[in-house]
Amino acid sequence: MLQINQVSKLFNPGTPDEKIALVGIQLHLKPADFVTVIGSNGAGKSTLMNIISGVMRPDTGTLHIEGAAVGSLPEFKRSQWIGRVFQDPMAGTAPNMTIEENLAMAFYRGKVRGFGLGVNAAKRRMFKEQVARLGIGLENRFGAKVGTLSGGERQALSLLMSTFTSPKILLLDEHTAALDPARAELITQITQDIVREMKLTTLMVTHNMEQAIRLGNRLIMMDKGRIILDIDETRKKDLTVERLLGEFEQISGKKLADDRIVLG
Amino acid sequence: MLNAIMKSVELGLLFALMALGVYITFRILDFPDLTVDGSFTTGGAIAAVMIAGGYSPWLATICAFLGGLVAGVCTGLLHTKGKINGLLSGILMMIALYSINLRIMGKKPNIAILNMDTIFTGANLLVVMIVVVVVVKLLLDLFLRTNLGLALRATGDNERMIRSFGANTGTTKIIGLSLSNGLVALSGAFIVQQSGFGDVTMGVGMIVVGLASVIIGEAIFGAKTVFRATLAVILGSVVYRIVIALALRVEWLDASDVKLITALIVIIALVVPAARRSAKQKSQAHKRTAELLSGTGPKGGVS
């Protein structure tokens, strides 16, 4: 489904601030894989997300989605295959537009935006059904501007918006990190349901070790721009936080340093 | 007095299309576009030259609109393809248009069309303008509810988000700037036909007049929905003309002070609401802190 071959990225090459963000990243995702990504500060997790979604271009290496080379496509063209939820609850929705208008924009992912009405009666009914699945009562506030929703509600809406056109790849960039524990758990639950139901190929960056172990069928750990650990489904089943930390120390020769890490 | 107010309403409607153009860039796209000063004259120049040349006034008006569309596309290309800062793109186009407008006018600084047929000949100016403004407003409202219109609004509201849903925000910006300047030029064409002459300096300060209309309109009539906002902008344009007319009745003010008065209106309209908001927020914070300390009132929530 997603094939990343020998992707590298340098920031500020040739200056005193040169920083290696990714080196020779090799990652293949099978359809319906749900991969969690953990790693220390500056490991390159966000850069990897930005490279896949097209916000940044790799310096070397290739990217394929379902066999199609997408490495040189700009973000807006790539987004027909890729759904993305950002860490910042403000980032995934347009605050001064209504819930239904936001959904209408998401509904047109990858299609030509012409002069058809964004929201009509049939679409409104369909959007309402979708929103009702979130189970947080947003379907009763359809005409409300998204800016009036709480962070958790906005994140749930973002999640629905980025998935309901069945993208080939779903990128979750620490999408529960900015929420309080109860809401984070709710969003995690919704994420799990949606990914399972729609069989989405998913890559999720998280700072929560327990979450990284509990969710998905594969776990990768990154450090200094490399993938240093790749744990498959069978090994992941009996993984614990302690063993994961131990593995990290063994491979990288240091303790996992992340000021935001949550052990679970 | 009544006569003066009628005159202000007429002028307000003539300039309302320009204000709607400014609303598209300034409010919807969040792009302060200074092309307006140039494209207003472009519209006026095209209309004046064509009408003086004996063309149908309606054809001249449509060509003026097209001229504005092209000017907006140029600004959009400078900004999106040339990666030039938005403000600077507008200023560059404004300056470039000054020369272009003179060329359009055959290097004459003004063209009189006093004795020519215009779209207002034999018609009631007020009625014509009400019809035109209402039609343009409703079409604009409709456009902003289409898929393309939604993408345009999202470009100004959350550009990163709409790009992640596959909209080319460069294109939506160009479309918005184009439409905006088209409306501005259309307004210029109407003004030329109402006043009977086109002048190369007629656009000077237009952006501030447009801003004044948008801000006054939103402050008085609100902008909760697109329908309300565009209506507010039109009414704002009318109110602005009435304010200016009233100001000019003050003995020690005269016509040359209009631009200063306009600037002052915009400054007041920008400063006062911001100051009021922060004062309100402060008092709200004080009140809630007191409540939380004394344990009364609703519990604080995290979300």
Side-chain angles (χ1 to χ4, degrees):
Chain A
M1 182 58 81
L2 173 68
Q3 288 185 306
I4 302 172
N5 285 313
Q6 296 300 334
V7 162
S8 300
K9 177 78 185 171
L10 284 180
F11 289 144
N12 312 312
T15 71
D17 285 331
E18 182 174 289
K19 186 178 174 303
I20 299 166
L22 294 176
V23 210
I25 292 287
Q26 193 80 22
L27 182 66
H28 292 192
L29 263 60
K30 293 197 295 290
D33 261 356
F34 185 169
V35 180
T36 54
V37 184
I38 51 175
S40 44
N41 287 333
K45 307 178 299 275
S46 295
T47 310
L48 181 63
M49 290 296 204
N50 284 334
I51 293 239
I52 296 173
S53 63
V55 175
M56 294 173 188
R57 309 274 172 92
D59 295 333
T60 61
T62 58
L63 245 104
H64 289 85
I65 295 176
E66 274 197 325
V70 298
S72 57
L73 293 180
E75 182 189 3
F76 74 87
K77 284 202 179 137
R78 239 184 264 191
S79 52
Q80 58 180 300
W81 299 292
I82 299 173
R84 188 174 187 186
V85 183
F86 302 95
Q87 175 181 353
D88 178 4
M90 307 298 147
T93 45
N96 289 311
M97 299 172 73
T98 63
I99 295 178
E100 59 180 14
E101 284 169 342
N102 270 277
L103 286 161
M105 292 187 283
F107 184 66
Y108 267 75
R109 171 201 297 285
K111 292 186 209 151
V112 176
R113 292 168 205 267
F115 293 100
L117 265 191
V119 182
N120 56 27
K123 278 193 226 165
R124 180 171 294 138
R125 229 180 355 258
M126 193 257 292
F127 294 159
K128 272 206 172 146
E129 270 168 36
Q130 295 282 336
V131 170
R133 281 176 38 205
L134 293 175
I136 51 176
L138 287 184
E139 62 276 16
N140 306 320
R141 297 164 65 189
F142 239 49
K145 288 190 178 169
V146 172
T148 63
L149 306 184
S150 73
E153 288 167 335
R154 285 183 74 161
Q155 208 62 333
L157 186 62
S158 303
L159 194 57
L160 180 68
M161 284 166 58
S162 32
T163 53
F164 83 152
T165 49
S166 292
K168 302 285 178 217
I169 314 282
L170 175 63
L171 301 177
L172 304 172
D173 199 350
E174 298 182 45
H175 69 305
T176 61
L179 307 174
D180 66 278
R183 282 174 213 269
E185 190 46 46
L186 175 71
I187 298 297
T188 306
Q189 200 55 52
I190 296 174
T191 307
Q192 221 173 352
D193 292 346
I194 291 179
V195 169
R196 190 176 298 150
E197 208 171 295
M198 303 182 72
K199 299 192 173 55
L200 297 172
T201 310
T202 306
L203 201 60
M204 178 173 101
V205 172
T206 176
H207 279 274
N208 186 326
M209 296 277 242
E210 185 274 327
Q211 193 185 46
I213 293 169
R214 179 161 50 101
L215 296 179
N217 61 349
R218 184 174 164 194
L219 183 150
I220 61 175
M221 189 182 257
M222 293 183 69
D223 188 47
K224 291 182 189 145
R226 296 170 201 274
I227 295 176
I228 56 165
L229 189 63
D230 191 338
I231 298 173
D232 63 16
E233 194 154 17
T234 41
R235 279 173 63 212
K236 191 164 177 291
K237 281 208 175 85
D238 35 44
L239 195 64
T240 62
V241 173
E242 288 77 27
R243 283 180 53 187
L244 197 55
L245 287 174
E247 292 246 26
F248 180 86
E249 269 179 64
Q250 213 177 4
I251 299 167
S252 67
K254 59 173 187 187
K255 281 207 185 298
L256 185 64
D258 186 334
D259 44 18
R260 288 186 300 160
I261 205 92
V262 183
L263 297 177
Chain B
M1 182 70 198
L2 191 69
N3 198 20
I5 287 183
M6 283 303 287
K7 202 83 206 145
S8 303
V9 174
E10 280 179 13
L11 276 177
L13 290 172
L14 287 161
F15 282 105
L17 298 174
M18 186 272 296
L20 282 174
V22 172
Y23 166 75
I24 293 174
T25 48
F26 189 71
R27 277 291 187 249
I28 295 184
L29 279 182
D30 197 16
F31 184 110
D33 175 31
L34 301 189
T35 317
V36 170
D37 279 25
S39 58
F40 186 79
T41 314
T42 305
I46 292 174
V49 163
M50 287 186 70
I51 290 172
Y55 287 95
S56 136
W58 283 106
L59 180 66
T61 306
I62 290 168
C63 287
F65 177 65
L66 296 178
L69 292 182
V70 174
V73 169
C74 292
T75 306
L77 288 174
L78 286 179
H79 176 60
T80 58
K81 303 287 180 219
K83 311 269 182 235
I84 298 174
N85 165 290
L87 265 177
L88 191 55
S89 308
I91 292 173
L92 287 170
M93 266 317 284
M94 178 177 84
I95 291 297
L97 281 172
Y98 185 82
S99 296
I100 294 170
N101 293 337
L102 270 174
R103 285 271 175 191
I104 293 172
M105 295 167 75
K107 298 184 192 166
K108 283 180 290 188
N110 55 62
I111 295 174
I113 52 165
L114 279 169
N115 304 317
M116 307 300 291
D117 272 357
T118 71
I119 57 171
F120 303 126
T121 307
N124 184 327
L125 189 143
L126 194 60
V127 174
V128 173
M129 280 323 291
I130 288 175
V131 172
V132 169
V133 169
V134 167
V135 168
V136 169
K137 177 210 152 31
L138 293 178
L139 282 176
L140 182 61
D141 289 350
L142 193 63
F143 169 68
L144 291 173
R145 287 171 53 217
T146 63
N147 288 307
L148 184 60
L150 290 179
L152 187 79
R153 286 162 62 198
T155 302
D157 203 15
N158 188 347
E159 188 174 347
R160 179 154 74 136
M161 168 259 179
I162 191 65
R163 226 183 304 130
S164 84
F165 284 110
N168 183 344
T169 51
T171 310
T172 53
K173 279 183 195 169
I174 293 173
I175 291 171
L177 282 164
S178 176
L179 185 60
S180 162
N181 284 290
L183 289 175
V184 170
L186 192 57
S187 183
F190 285 131
I191 289 293
V192 161
Q193 298 180 61
Q194 177 258 354
S195 64
F197 67 95
D199 188 288
V200 76
T201 61
M202 65 189 276
V204 174
M206 255 332 121
I207 180 69
V208 186
V209 174
L211 276 182
S213 308
V214 170
I215 294 169
I216 293 173
E218 287 180 343
I220 301 179
F221 306 102
K224 272 217 159 64
T225 61
V226 170
F227 182 88
R228 273 275 285 282
T230 51
L231 183 66
V233 169
I234 293 165
L235 296 176
S237 174
V238 172
V239 172
Y240 165 79
R241 288 294 153 188
I242 294 174
V243 170
I244 293 292
L246 291 177
L248 288 180
R249 293 176 87 86
V250 178
E251 253 171 58
W252 43 274
L253 287 173
D254 61 50
S256 60
D257 296 322
V258 166
K259 297 225 187 315
L260 176 63
I261 298 168
T262 309
L264 285 175
I265 292 174
V266 173
I267 291 168
I268 292 168
L270 285 175
V271 171
V272 171
R276 267 214 333 238
R277 237 190 336 269
S278 84
K280 195 175 155 198
Q281 215 161 35
K282 215 165 165 180
S283 81
Q284 191 80 9
H286 275 290
K287 197 176 123 216
R288 286 290 295 137
T289 311
E291 275 176 9
L292 288 172
L293 284 174
S294 66
T296 58
K299 274 265 192 302
V302 219
S303 59

